[in-house]
Amino acid sequence: MTVALRPTSLSEALDALGANGAVAVAGCTDLMVVDHAPARAHATVVDLSRLPELRGVREDSGGLWIGAATTFAELRESKLVRERFPIVAEMAGTIGALQIQNRATVGGNIANASPAGDSLPVWMALDAEVEIAGRSGSRRVPYDEMHRAYRETALAPGELIVGLRLPAADEALEQRFRKVGTRAAQAISKVVVALAARVHGDELHGLRIAAGSVAPTPVRLRAAEALVEGQPLTPDLAAAAGLAAAREVTPIDDVRSTADYRRFVLARTVRRMLLACQGGEA
Ligand SMILES: Cc1cc2nc3c(=O)[nH]c(=O)nc-3n(C[C@H](O)[C@H](O)[C@H](O)COP(=O)(O)OP(=O)(O)OC[C@H]3O[C@@H](n4cnc5c(N)ncnc54)[C@H](O)[C@@H]3O)c2cc1C
């Protein structure tokens, strides 16, 4: 028989997760699909929805702190998020459809660690830090180190994602997001890309480009970044960066797309996103 626990504090939840076979549940939009009935599949289900420590979006040293139990609907509607990190709101509006956005959480998307998780490249491009808590204390992990292998994260057993910290964004921070799927809603990505950079004249500085659905984990497109960083951005350079991006990923053929198509689309998407930073082709 399954026990469903509804802790009201983080420490209570962490104690509950210490039990054998206990599993954390947030919006349950991934767990329900995997298990159909998590109540049958797990000995103890620990509901994270009543933990104040995991909730809210607030200013944090010029940047933002986003609680792990924040839903994508909350992100989509947040004034702070829309003003500071428009690509976060944009991404949130592409997760499933409205019903999914009302339940699905930031922490669930990260911990589920699907290579097609739409928020993951966004956190990577924005240089986020993940706040993690366990019974022995808390720690912070740079987002670049969060996804270690296919569906494997930096979380140790019994640990929880508490929230994310996004470093300060000023007006010079150019942010771009593009999801390519079969249709506008309720589509899992064939390719998803996020980009952040500071624009100085015709150059991009501190460029971070990350992509999903093109490798076993979300990936930084470091070869493309290195080509463009600090150079006058021309259409030829943007095209070369797109091709470099296509060469540095390892997509697969699956039910949603083919590896060749994913490479082709990635090259075009990166080229267009770079040019869009300078008001060019979007
Ligand atoms: C119809 C449909 C459409 C979807 N469309 C999209 C889409 O377009 N893009 C996309 O990226 N995803 C999509 N998803 C997947 C899913 O909605 C997201 O991954 C969602 O963010 C999962 O969050 P959740 O709160 O529902 O997670 P849950 O299902 O509650 O949990 C998922 C996993 O994360 C763990 N977990 C949850 N919270 C925490 C935490 N704070 N700390 C540690 N571990 C935690 C759970 O133990 C579990 O292993 C879709 C799902 C469905 C059913």
Side-chain angles (χ1 to χ4, degrees):
M1 200 181 91
T2 297
V3 179
L5 299 177
R6 295 194 174 80
T8 53
S9 73
L10 178 59
S11 64
E12 226 183 283
L14 292 171
D15 284 345
L17 284 168
N20 255 350
V23 67
V25 177
C28 209
T29 59
D30 275 319
L31 280 177
M32 193 58 87
V33 173
V34 174
D35 296 345
H36 287 283
R40 264 185 276 139
H42 303 287
T44 306
V45 176
V46 182
D47 177 7
L48 304 182
S49 65
R50 297 176 192 197
L51 308 186
E53 294 92 338
L54 269 60
R55 298 209 65 89
V57 175
R58 56 178 183 266
E59 292 201 73
D60 179 68
S61 318
L64 277 192
W65 183 87
I66 298 173
T70 306
T71 64
F72 287 103
E74 286 165 340
L75 279 189
R76 194 190 67 217
E77 298 301 327
S78 160
K79 191 163 176 278
L80 261 181
V81 170
R82 295 170 82 92
E83 281 173 7
R84 302 275 179 85
F85 296 99
I87 59 168
V88 172
E90 188 182 342
M91 167 277 292
T94 72
I95 303 276
L98 295 183
Q99 295 90 334
I100 293 291
Q101 290 163 28
N102 284 339
R103 289 207 58 85
T105 66
V106 167
N109 201 236
I110 297 170
N112 185 57
S114 159
D118 288 317
S119 76
L120 318 185
V122 172
W123 311 133
M124 218 172 236
L126 293 176
D127 201 11
E129 206 175 49
V130 189
E131 202 178 305
I132 292 173
R135 284 203 289 178
S136 51
S138 344
R139 61 197 177 100
R140 292 185 185 182
V141 174
Y143 206 88
D144 280 348
E145 296 167 22
M146 192 60 193
H147 298 278
R148 298 198 163 158
Y150 177 69
R151 299 251 182 198
E152 188 188 316
T153 69
L155 284 172
E159 283 189 325
L160 284 176
I161 299 168
V162 176
L164 281 173
R165 283 172 199 281
L166 303 185
D170 53 37
E171 279 170 12
L173 186 73
E174 192 69 36
Q175 309 172 33
R176 301 272 155 187
F177 172 78
R178 185 65 57 86
K179 169 172 171 171
V180 180
T182 305
R183 54 191 178 180
Q186 214 69 284
I188 303 295
S189 297
K190 295 174 193 279
V191 169
V192 53
V193 187
L195 175 159
R198 288 196 157 71
V199 181
H200 297 291
D202 62 354
E203 298 170 6
L204 300 182
H205 290 257
L207 174 63
R208 297 174 68 93
I209 318 174
S213 282
V214 290
T217 64
V219 282
R220 285 276 300 281
L221 302 177
R222 291 182 192 274
E225 289 173 3
L227 270 181
V228 174
E229 177 70 33
Q231 301 296 319
L233 183 62
T234 60
D236 282 350
L237 184 59
L243 294 174
R247 281 194 298 270
E248 66 183 308
V249 296
T250 52
I252 55 167
D253 294 338
D254 66 12
V255 288
R256 284 191 289 278
S257 194
T258 63
D260 284 349
Y261 182 73
R262 287 180 157 119
R263 281 206 171 86
F264 173 78
V265 168
L266 180 70
R268 284 177 67 99
T269 304
V270 167
R271 173 175 66 82
R272 294 173 73 152
M273 288 169 84
L274 286 167
L275 293 176
C277 289
Q278 304 210 301
E281 185 186 0

